[in-house]
Amino acid sequence: MPASLVFKQQDPSTEKILCYTFKTSQNRILALNRRMISHNMTWIRYPSNSWDSSTDIEDVIASQNIISRFMHCYIAFFAPAGLLTGILILIIFIKNFLQNRILRNLNIFLLDFTISNIAMIFFSFTVIPRPGYLKATHLGCGVLSFFFNVSYFNSQYLLILMLLTLLSPFLFRASWMTTTTQRSLLCVGFILTCAFCMSVVVVALLGTDNYHANTDCQVDPLFAWPEYEIIKFTFGFGIPLILQLLCFILFFIKAAQSETRNLRKHIHIPLMLVITITITMFSCRLFYNVMILYRTMLKIQKIIGTFKNELMMNIAEIVVFIESCVSLIFILCLHKPLKNGIAEIIAKCKRTDTTNNLPDLGDTDAL
């Protein structure tokens, strides 16, 4: 039988298969194009960089003055205080370790927490150009965002670990939890791994192909896909907040029971310190994450936003950096070993000053 006759006999079914395959491929291509268009963030601009003749110049000036004052206040007061406090904490922890050759679980957690907050303070120097923005390539901005997010997630997850340590003595049946939280280095390593993985996930959602093009850079880049902010809110604030609330509820329920009246016997970490850090972190990061979600909504609606939106986002970013400084100050003031270390340093300085002011006996006899 000739090949042309076979082809003619199979033509109807073959045509249907080819049509179905073509339509399926076409639908997939259209869906991919729609997805690429929806994730194309080249249109987005800061309102301060996209205003025209119809913009009220007084709004621009007022917005820039406010954020400039916030920035100068932070750089002049909070950043130096936070860095000085963090360095003192590190010195005291290192001194205690050299003397005793051991660090307790809470001290190891607070040491990691302190290092994360110091790193965030260094990242906060990116706000110095406000009301302008740091100029960097997309690649450089992505690297900056990655390391900032490692510190951000690490400090958030460490707080959950401290709450679990606070709760573990009351969960007598869950001996595995007590054993796990006592292995502090293993816990810190696990927390760092989680923070690293989450940072990789969110930075992968920056979604830029032009890595060497210059852009205005923040620690949370404006050109990131909406999924970036959604994932960061979910795993960097929402879920940790729920876990923290559960830990506090379980702790106060167990503490209120008759068999756990002697709290001093069961609590191995300072309760006031953990509560203070939790409240500080929640209040500051709540404002920040609300503004992140609002910016996400604007991106989904393909709206640039107003000068007020940009101002509130910049203020929220500085508030997060202020939280890092304030948390370090609370740790230094509320953690007993650190307070004792500061008292020893002050006493040593006083003794040195007194010794230097004593008169020389040889000179006195000569007179």
Side-chain angles (χ1 to χ4, degrees):
M1 183 178 296
S4 59
L5 183 59
V6 174
F7 179 78
K8 289 181 180 179
Q9 290 178 352
Q10 295 178 353
D11 187 58
S13 59
T14 304
E15 185 178 357
K16 290 181 180 179
I17 294 173
L18 291 174
C19 290
Y20 175 77
T21 304
F22 176 76
K23 290 181 179 179
T24 304
S25 302
Q26 189 178 23
N27 291 334
R28 290 179 179 178
I29 292 173
L30 290 175
L32 181 61
N33 287 335
R34 286 195 297 269
R35 184 179 177 184
M36 292 177 66
I37 292 172
S38 64
H39 286 86
N40 182 10
M41 306 304 297
T42 56
W43 58 271
I44 198 164
R45 296 286 187 277
Y46 288 103
S48 58
N49 294 339
S50 59
W51 55 286
D52 52 23
S53 58
S54 62
T55 306
D56 189 354
I57 191 65
E58 293 182 358
D59 292 340
V60 179
I61 295 174
S63 176
Q64 292 182 347
N65 284 339
I66 292 173
I67 190 57
S68 179
R69 291 175 182 176
F70 263 89
M71 182 273 295
H72 284 103
C73 180
Y74 170 76
I75 295 297
F77 299 104
F78 288 98
L83 283 177
L84 179 61
T85 304
I87 292 171
L88 285 175
I89 293 173
L90 292 180
I91 291 173
I92 295 172
F93 276 145
I94 293 172
K95 180 183 176 182
N96 292 341
F97 176 76
L98 294 176
Q99 290 178 350
N100 304 321
R101 294 296 175 181
I102 190 172
L103 283 177
R104 294 183 178 181
N105 290 349
L106 178 63
N107 291 337
I108 294 177
F109 299 156
L110 290 178
L111 179 62
D112 188 15
F113 189 81
T114 300
I115 294 173
S116 293
N117 282 320
I118 290 176
M120 290 188 67
I121 293 174
F122 280 114
F123 289 125
S124 70
F125 292 137
T126 58
V127 306
I128 291 177
R130 298 292 186 274
Y133 294 92
L134 180 69
K135 298 295 183 181
T137 62
H138 283 80
L139 179 60
C141 194
V143 172
L144 174 68
S145 178
F146 170 77
F147 286 106
F148 168 76
N149 280 304
V150 170
S151 301
Y152 181 90
F153 286 113
N154 185 56
S155 59
Q156 188 75 60
Y157 296 160
L158 272 172
L159 183 57
I160 299 175
L161 182 60
M162 286 189 279
L163 290 173
L164 289 176
T165 307
L166 177 69
L167 186 63
S168 59
F170 297 100
L171 301 179
F172 299 107
R173 296 180 180 179
S175 58
W176 63 271
M177 180 181 292
T178 304
T179 304
T180 302
T181 52
Q182 288 176 353
R183 299 177 180 177
S184 53
L185 291 177
L186 179 63
C187 293
V188 169
F190 176 74
I191 292 298
L192 284 172
T193 303
C194 292
F196 179 86
C197 293
M198 288 308 307
S199 299
V200 170
V201 171
V202 295
V203 171
L205 296 173
L206 291 180
T208 180
D209 295 328
N210 197 2
Y211 293 107
H212 299 288
N214 289 328
T215 185
D216 293 326
C217 183
Q218 287 181 283
V219 290
D220 287 315
L222 181 67
F223 58 83
W225 290 350
E227 288 85 352
Y228 173 95
E229 283 104 349
I230 295 172
I231 294 296
K232 184 167 183 176
F233 172 82
T234 303
F235 292 95
F237 184 76
I239 294 177
L241 177 61
I242 294 173
L243 294 176
Q244 291 166 15
L245 290 176
L246 289 176
C247 289
F248 273 117
I249 291 172
L250 288 174
F251 170 78
F252 287 115
I253 290 176
K254 293 292 182 180
Q257 294 177 353
S258 58
E259 65 268 16
T260 58
R261 291 178 180 177
N262 191 2
L263 294 180
R264 293 181 180 269
K265 180 180 178 182
H266 296 283
I267 296 178
H268 303 290
I269 65 176
L271 178 62
M272 184 57 64
L273 173 61
V274 177
I275 292 178
T276 304
I277 294 176
T278 304
I279 294 174
T280 303
M281 186 176 291
F282 168 76
S283 57
C284 295
R285 297 196 177 188
L286 174 64
F287 177 42
Y288 181 68
N289 281 272
V290 167
M291 293 310 302
I292 280 181
L293 287 183
Y294 186 76
R295 191 172 75 173
T296 305
M297 184 187 69
L298 294 178
K299 288 181 181 180
I300 294 174
Q301 297 176 353
K302 294 189 178 299
I303 299 175
I304 293 178
T306 63
F307 292 102
K308 184 178 179 180
N309 302 143
E310 183 181 2
L311 171 65
M312 296 302 293
M313 186 65 212
N314 286 329
I315 292 175
E317 185 181 34
I318 294 178
V319 167
V320 168
F321 296 136
I322 290 175
E323 176 261 316
S324 298
C325 303
V326 173
S327 294
L328 291 176
I329 295 173
F330 283 142
I331 291 173
L332 184 64
C333 295
L334 298 178
H335 192 39
K336 188 174 180 180
L338 296 176
K339 290 192 294 184
N340 295 337
I342 291 295
E344 291 178 2
I345 293 174
I346 295 174
K348 186 177 180 180
C349 292
K350 287 183 178 179
R351 287 195 300 268
T352 303
D353 185 61
T354 304
T355 304
N356 293 333
N357 291 332
L358 288 176
D360 192 352
L361 296 178
D363 295 341
T364 304
D365 293 339
L367 293 174

